[in-house]
Every structure is written in structure tokens, then in C-alpha cells.
Amino acid sequence: MFRRVGSAVVRHPVWTIVAWLIAAVAIVATAPSLPSNSDESSFLPKSYESIRASDVQQKAFPGAFTPSAIALYQRTDGGKLTADDQRDAARITTELGQKHVDQVQKVVPGPPSKDGRYTMTLVQMNRKTAGQPAQIDAAKVLRDDVKQLVKGTHLQVQLGGPAAQALDQQDASKRGDALVGFGTFAIILVSLLIIFRAPILAVLPLILIGLVSAVANGLIAYATKLFGLEANSSISSILIVVLFGVGTDYFLFLMFRYRERLRAGDEPKQAMVNAVARVGEAIASAAGAVVIAFLALVLSTLGFLKQMGPALAIAVAATLVAALTLIPAVVSLIGPKVFWPSKSWKHEASNARFAALGRGVQRRPALTAVASGLVLVVLALGALGYKATFDLASGSMPKTKESMVVQDRMQKAYSAGAAAPTDVYLSSTDGKPLDKAGFDAYTGKLAAVDGVTSARMSQLNKEGTSADFTVTLKYEASTDQAIAAVQRVRDVAHSQAPDGSEAVVGGLSSVYKDIDSAVNHDYRTVFPVAAVLIMVILGLLLRSVVAPWYLIASVGLGFGATLGATVLIFQNGQGHSGLMFLLPVIMYLFVVAIGTDYNILMIARLREEAREGRDPREAAGVALRHAGPTVAAAGFILAATFATMMLAGNALLREMGFAVSFGIAIAAFIMAMFFTPSLTALIGHAAWWPGHADRASDAAPEADDSASPSEETEDRSVQDSSELRS
């Protein structure tokens, strides 16, 4: 199959390139703009309590005041506000409301802080457009207007709240994308120059993957609109790294094999055909594992992950098609000049270091397996201390952003939970008015909950069938204490609801509680499904039932080691209260899926060596000598490109960048180099049960068009496409 693909592309390289260009222009020109939403509650299904509470609020209290933006005032000298300062703040509030900014429905004065140093203006916007571009634009206008109005006074003002956070998150994302993009390009360019000493080869993947990126983004926009998915600005940074990191991996897989075939004496075009034929199944299987793992996110209950899964799957699928068509077409047109000015491609490298490593694995597979496994187990122990944080907004931007400064100051000047109060909505189940006589007792029970500062009955709808009880927690909305407290509020609200009524609890802490439940659900569903599907792909590739089990177990152990190292670095080392709640899910999929790439490449090479008649230990040693350089180069570049996410300047991408890059390094330099080949050598022929994929075929293999005895000697680790046919 892959030989036929390679032959067709090499015979018609110009038409292949033209077809890609036409597709790129058509897709980019017609693709819809990718929407973005930073409202955490929009990522939850409607069955969760916080979303049901929001529905009750909209129906029973459509005019209820919920601030979307908060202007926080303080004196320029940091002292207590004077009477004149209070009057200036009131005047600014009035004038701001008179500007009739788009999306703004109401502007009212807020309460002063207990220490007298702060006061507020509260701005309510259209709830239906929360987190969407219209409110982000409105927040920008409000921020400019309020700073203009404060001129000539002794006050300084900063704008915070959800809408301002969305604005700052968007700005941080743009800056982060630029840094991540530049860092990714620089790492790939420099790394390829060092590996091949050829400027054409260094620049070529950046150009070709850039074209693939445009196509993938267009297809993602189509899928987002077609299936009504939610988008988030953080996805763009991840897409950059996935496209260029994974694309460079597949480029390296192909180019190392192309160079190997040229050294074996193949004519240049035939060398590319043979390269695609020989490595095509490994690339397709590796990409298939990644796509399957990403698509498993469709089973997530979080809209953010539902969007991310298909988006990344589309990106990897487009990269796979390019690796088997566009890259071979372009390289076959250029020919060996692609390696100019270096002449080292003409001579097989000794790979002395990898040959030595291979001999070590061959002689002492048990010691190698135990030592490498012990490293993974020790690191994995750190995962026992994992804690999650749920504030996606503050995790997606630096703490120095204006809205984050406002949030921090409000937590110190007011009750920590005042910025995001919890609402208990009590509704009649029989349509009759609620008994007001029981409100005081109900309020008292809510106020007595551990972790609650105060509770009051704030409003009753016209029909008297729904009441809103405002509960202020002692803790900031996204903390573990607030999430635990809101669960206690739920328990009391439900159990103490008067007969004929039911209660639902809303507010930001309630949203985070539901996100916590949703993520736990994803752990129980997405993880096992992704693992099973990857095992199926491994089983089909290797024609084995045994090997997929220890391969997926080793990658799972790599996941544990990665999470443990991240906990040790960020929680224990840097004092973070926890890691972003999305991190384990994303880490699992990246480390398990992409980490499997290197296992696939190594185990496929090991199988080829075994088919040459070598015993399991010798096959492992020779496979490491030949595939080791490819795995090392690809693993280093991919880990380094993911590490560029740490430049984005926010907690989510910094933690994600470290975790995924560390996990890929573990996968490439411990699992694929040592753990997997040593285990396979120890298990021996039983690793391939019930098939005999490691046994030499009695039938003569299908010969390459330019095969020669010397080629068979030099390229011992390679078998024809008839032995790697999908």
C-alpha cells in the first residue's frame, strides 16, 4: 500500500504539490472564522447543577444584577478614600453609564472596602454573550473610558471581572502564540541544521508544515462550526506546537530512511519510493495512535476538551497526509541536493554511541529494564501529591495582567469570596408561592455552613415561586477550600429545602465544583478508551496480543513519571497550590499518544532485525543502533518545541509545556531507548504471540527495484513493504 502511494507521488510530484496548493487556497479562503469563548460555564453540559442554577436565574430573575466587569478605585498615594474621592467615583460611575457602551446593560456603584481604601463600579453586560468577542471588545472600551474619566482626580482605576479577564486572556494568548511560534521555528531550524548540516533541509519542513498548518486551521474552523463546538484561545498555542512538532517528527522519520536508502545505492527517486514503503506504516500507525487518542476527548464532558480533541486530531491527520504525499513529492523533485552542502549523507555514520548502547541492552536486558523502570517508578511516586486548581482564567495569563491585579486586590480588601458570591435558588415544585415564613430559618442554616461568611435572602420573583439567597464564602472562588465549601452549601441547601421546593446552587465556585466532577468523569472514561484504542492499533501493527500490553503499560508508567515530576517541580518546588485541572488529561493524551510514536518506531525496527534471523537480544541491540539516532533527534526536537509553550507567560501553558516536553523526553530517551527494547529482548519470541511477526519469512521478499546484495547487507534492519503492509 505505502509503496504504491510513494510511487504515485514520486511519478507525479508537480501535480501532488499543485493539488496541495489548490486545496490550501480553497480551504483558507472559504473557512469560517474560529469562534472563541472564555466563559468556563459554557464548557459544561446543561445537566450539571451550576448550569441548571443559571437557567433558574435567567427565567426567574432575568434582570438580576451580575457584574461582568468591575472598576476598582484607590487613591494614587495608597491612602484611605476621602469624601471627595467617593464623590469622584460616584460621578465616574454615572458618566460611564451614560456612554451606553455596546453590551453594557447597567452600571451601578459598588460597596467600599472595610479598610476604606477601595471602592468599585459594577458593570452588568448581556449574559448571552458572556466570554464572547463582543464582550471582550466592550471591556476594552470600558477600560479606556474609565481611565479617561478618572483623569484630574486623585484616583487611579483598574478594570477587572470576567469580561476584563477575557480581554487580558486574549492579549496574553496573542503574545504567547508569537513567542511559542518563534521559539518553535528557531528550535526546529537550529536542530535540523545541526543534524543534517543542510540549510535546505532545515528550512523545508517549516515551509511545508506552514502550508499544512493553514489547511489544518481551515478544516478545524469548518469542524467547529459544523458540530457547534466551543473554542478557546489556548488551543491556538497548542496547535502551533502539535503541527510543527509532530510534523517535524514525521519529516525526520522519512528523511533518515531516505538518506539510508541513498547510502544503500538506490537511485534518488527510487530511494524516496523505498523510504515511503518502508517507514510509511510506522508513520501511519504512529499518527493513527495520536489521532485516536485525541478523538477520545470527544467523550469528555467539558466543551473545552471536546473542541481540543477533534482540532488536534484534524491537525495530526493533515500532517500524516502531508508526510506521505507533500514531503516526498518536494524532496523527490530536489533530490540529493536537499543535503547540500554537506557530503556526510553519502557515508553511513558509525553511530558509535548508539551502537554501544545497543550492545549494553543486548548483553544486560534485565538490568536495563530494571534500572529504567526504577527511574520511572520513583518519579511516578510524586504523582501521589497531585492537587488541581480550577481557575482557567488566571491560569491562562500572567498575574501581572490588570484583571488579575484587580482580583488579587479585591481578595485582600474585601471578603475573598465577595468578588464571586454563591447563589442558592429555591424554587417551588408545585407552582405555588413559597412560604416566606421559612426564609429566615433557611438563611440561618446556609449561614451556619462551615466556610460561609454570610447569607441573605436577596430577591424574590414576582410570582413568589423562586427566591435567591446570596451566600458569600470565606475563600476565593477557585480554591480547594471554596470548592469544598460550596459542596457543603449544596448539601445543606438540598436537605433543608422546605417541603414543596427544591434548591440549586450556582455561582463560580459551583461551576468549578462541577468542572471537578466532569474531569473525574473524564479520567474514568477518556483514559481507558484511549488506551484500548491505542492497543488495538499496536496489535494490528505488530500482529501480536502480548506486545501491546507491555507497550501501553510502559507508556502509562511514563505518564505517571511525568505527572510526578511536574508535581515535584511546580507544587513542591515553586509552591503552587496545585496544577491546572486540565493538565493530567492533556498530558495523558500527549504523552501516551505521541510517546507511543517512538515505541512504534523502535519496535518496528526491532521486528525487522528479528526477521533478518537475529535472536531477540541481538535484534534489540541492532535496532537501537539503527533507530536510536532517529528517535533521539525526533524526541529532542519535539520535546524542545513543546518546551517553548513555557514562554507563553501563563500557568496553564507553562505547566503544560514542561509536562509534555518532559514526558516526550521520557518516552524517547528512557522508554523507547531502553525500557521497550530490553523488555522485548527478555520476553523473546513470546512477545509476538500468537503471530510470528519476528520470524524470517521462507518466501523471498519482494525486491526493491534497485536492490543489490550490498544493499541488503548495509540495510539489514529494513524489510520490503510486503512485510510492513497495512
Side-chain angles (χ1 to χ4, degrees):
M1 170 184 169
F2 295 101
R3 175 171 294 281
R4 289 195 295 270
V5 171
S7 297
V9 168
V10 171
R11 279 200 307 268
H12 308 289
V14 175
W15 285 113
T16 302
I17 296 169
V18 169
W20 265 95
L21 291 174
I22 292 174
V25 171
I27 291 171
V28 171
T30 60
S33 59
L34 189 65
S36 180
N37 198 329
S38 59
D39 180 15
E40 285 93 338
S41 65
S42 68
F43 300 138
L44 286 168
K46 295 188 180 301
S47 58
Y48 281 89
E49 182 167 350
S50 60
I51 308 304
R52 290 189 286 118
S54 180
D55 291 340
V56 170
Q57 181 191 37
Q58 292 180 31
K59 292 176 182 177
F61 309 102
F65 188 90
T66 303
S68 301
I70 300 170
L72 185 66
Y73 306 94
Q74 68 178 121
R75 282 185 61 84
T76 53
D77 60 10
K80 290 187 176 182
L81 299 175
T82 65
D84 288 341
D85 296 331
Q86 295 282 7
R87 283 192 291 271
D88 284 335
R91 173 186 57 80
I92 293 170
T93 300
T94 301
E95 293 182 9
L96 194 63
Q98 292 171 348
K99 287 183 174 291
H100 302 294
V101 177
D102 180 47
Q103 299 297 314
V104 173
Q105 296 176 331
K106 192 181 296 185
V107 181
V108 300
S113 62
K114 293 179 181 179
D115 60 10
R117 296 175 57 209
Y118 297 92
T119 191
M120 297 184 290
T121 293
L122 305 178
V123 181
Q124 178 178 280
M125 297 187 191
N126 186 350
R127 291 180 56 84
K128 295 180 180 179
T129 57
Q132 296 181 12
Q135 284 205 8
I136 294 174
D137 294 340
K140 190 175 189 308
V141 173
L142 283 170
R143 182 171 282 170
D144 293 339
D145 286 349
V146 75
K147 290 186 176 179
Q148 193 67 33
L149 291 171
V150 85
K151 288 182 178 179
T153 70
H154 294 289
L155 297 173
Q156 63 179 16
V157 64
Q158 291 178 301
L159 192 75
Q165 288 178 356
L167 172 62
D168 289 341
Q169 186 178 353
Q170 183 184 74
D171 291 342
S173 177
K174 289 178 180 177
R175 177 180 176 274
D177 287 354
L179 288 172
V180 169
F182 177 79
T184 299
F185 285 12
I187 287 170
I188 292 174
L189 186 66
V190 172
S191 299
L192 291 178
L193 277 172
I194 293 172
I195 293 169
F196 293 107
R197 302 181 184 88
I200 297 176
L201 266 182
V203 174
L204 191 60
L206 297 177
I207 297 173
L208 298 183
I209 299 169
L211 177 64
V212 176
S213 175
V215 172
N217 276 291
L219 294 175
I220 290 166
Y222 274 119
T224 301
K225 184 175 182 180
L226 181 64
F227 297 106
L229 301 172
E230 298 287 351
N232 185 278
S233 54
S234 296
I235 292 177
S236 55
S237 295
I238 300 171
L239 274 175
I240 292 171
V241 177
V242 168
L243 282 163
F244 283 90
V246 173
T248 303
D249 257 15
Y250 299 159
F251 180 83
L252 285 171
F253 290 178
L254 187 64
M255 292 311 301
F256 269 95
R257 191 57 67 98
Y258 175 59
R259 185 176 66 179
E260 190 174 330
R261 299 308 305 166
L262 288 173
R263 288 170 175 170
D266 285 4
E267 182 271 330
K269 289 189 179 295
Q270 188 60 42
M272 180 54 71
V273 174
N274 291 339
V276 174
R278 293 168 184 271
V279 83
E281 187 180 32
I283 292 176
S285 299
V290 179
V291 169
I292 286 294
F294 288 159
L295 285 179
L297 284 174
V298 173
L299 300 175
S300 171
T301 52
L302 291 172
F304 175 84
L305 295 178
K306 280 181 179 289
Q307 158 68 7
M308 179 181 288
L312 297 180
I314 290 170
V316 174
T319 306
L320 167 63
V321 175
L324 298 178
T325 58
L326 180 62
I327 293 174
V330 173
V331 174
S332 67
L333 275 180
I334 301 173
K337 292 180 181 178
V338 75
F339 297 104
W340 178 88
S342 173
K343 298 186 183 299
S344 62
W345 66 270
K346 296 180 179 180
H347 311 287
E348 182 178 1
S350 63
N351 290 336
R353 292 187 181 88
F354 292 98
L357 292 175
R359 288 193 297 271
V361 170
Q362 180 178 339
R363 291 170 185 168
R364 300 181 180 83
L367 178 62
T368 304
V370 170
S372 55
L374 190 60
V375 170
L376 298 176
V377 170
V378 169
L379 288 174
L381 293 175
L384 298 175
Y386 166 74
K387 294 180 181 178
T389 59
F390 297 90
D391 191 355
L392 188 59
S394 63
S396 300
M397 70 186 96
K399 298 295 184 184
T400 54
K401 282 290 186 180
E402 186 171 327
S403 58
M404 292 295 96
V405 173
V406 170
Q407 178 175 291
D408 182 62
R409 288 178 177 172
M410 285 189 63
Q411 289 174 22
K412 294 174 181 176
Y414 296 81
S415 167
T422 295
D423 289 284
V424 177
Y425 297 103
L426 191 67
S427 300
S428 170
T429 56
D430 55 11
K432 297 179 181 178
L434 296 170
D435 183 7
K436 298 179 184 179
F439 285 177
D440 288 343
Y442 191 64
T443 302
K445 291 173 183 176
L446 293 174
V449 174
D450 182 28
V452 171
T453 298
S454 63
R456 60 187 176 86
M457 204 290 286
S458 55
Q459 55 186 330
L460 186 69
N461 69 343
K462 293 180 180 179
E463 296 80 10
T465 55
S466 293
D468 176 10
F469 296 82
T470 300
V471 177
T472 303
L473 303 179
K474 295 179 181 178
Y475 317 106
E476 193 274 321
S478 65
T479 60
D480 291 340
Q481 297 99 318
I483 292 170
V486 86
Q487 180 59 56
R488 293 192 290 271
V489 170
R490 284 183 176 183
D491 293 340
V492 170
H494 298 162
S495 63
Q496 301 300 320
D499 292 340
S501 68
E502 65 176 1
V504 288
V505 180
L508 200 52
S509 293
S510 186
V511 170
Y512 290 141
K513 173 61 186 174
D514 287 339
I515 288 177
D516 186 26
S517 300
V519 170
N520 289 332
H521 166 271
D522 291 349
Y523 291 162
R524 296 190 299 270
T525 54
V526 176
F527 282 20
V529 168
V532 168
L533 292 176
I534 291 173
M535 285 182 64
V536 169
I537 289 177
L538 290 172
L540 293 174
L541 169 68
L542 303 174
R543 282 71 163 175
S544 166
V545 172
V546 176
W549 283 99
Y550 69 81
L551 288 176
I552 201 70
S554 70
V555 178
L557 189 58
F559 163 78
T562 303
L563 181 58
T566 308
V567 168
L568 292 173
I569 294 292
F570 289 95
Q571 285 186 204
N572 299 349
Q574 297 188 10
H576 290 195
S577 60
L579 304 178
M580 291 304 298
F581 70 94
L582 290 172
L583 191 63
V585 176
I586 294 171
M587 187 193 308
Y588 174 87
L589 293 168
F590 277 94
V591 173
V592 170
I594 297 178
T596 303
D597 284 9
Y598 305 123
N599 268 343
I600 286 174
L601 191 68
M602 184 61 73
I603 202 76
R605 191 79 183 221
L606 193 152
R607 179 184 63 179
E608 292 171 2
E609 293 297 340
R611 284 179 169 180
E612 289 290 333
R614 296 181 175 85
D615 64 58
R617 293 193 178 195
E618 184 185 3
V622 177
L624 181 53
R625 177 197 169 194
H626 287 290
T630 307
V631 170
F636 170 78
I637 292 177
L638 189 59
T641 53
F642 271 104
T644 61
M645 293 170 67
M646 298 175 70
L647 301 174
N650 66 68
L652 174 61
L653 292 181
R654 188 163 56 247
E655 292 172 2
M656 192 185 301
F658 170 82
V660 177
S661 61
F662 185 86
I664 288 169
I666 288 284
F669 295 100
I670 294 184
M671 288 190 299
M673 291 281 193
F674 300 107
F675 197 62
T676 296
S678 60
L679 276 180
T680 306
L682 283 173
I683 297 172
H685 295 299
W688 308 97
W689 184 87
H692 302 286
D694 65 326
R695 305 299 175 90
S697 174
D698 294 333
E702 178 187 337
D704 292 336
D705 294 347
S706 60
S708 66
S710 62
E711 172 196 330
E712 292 302 321
T713 300
E714 290 186 39
D715 193 29
R716 295 168 303 180
S717 64
V718 183
Q719 286 298 310
D720 201 87
S721 62
S722 61
E723 296 178 291
L724 286 175
R725 187 173 293 116
S726 65

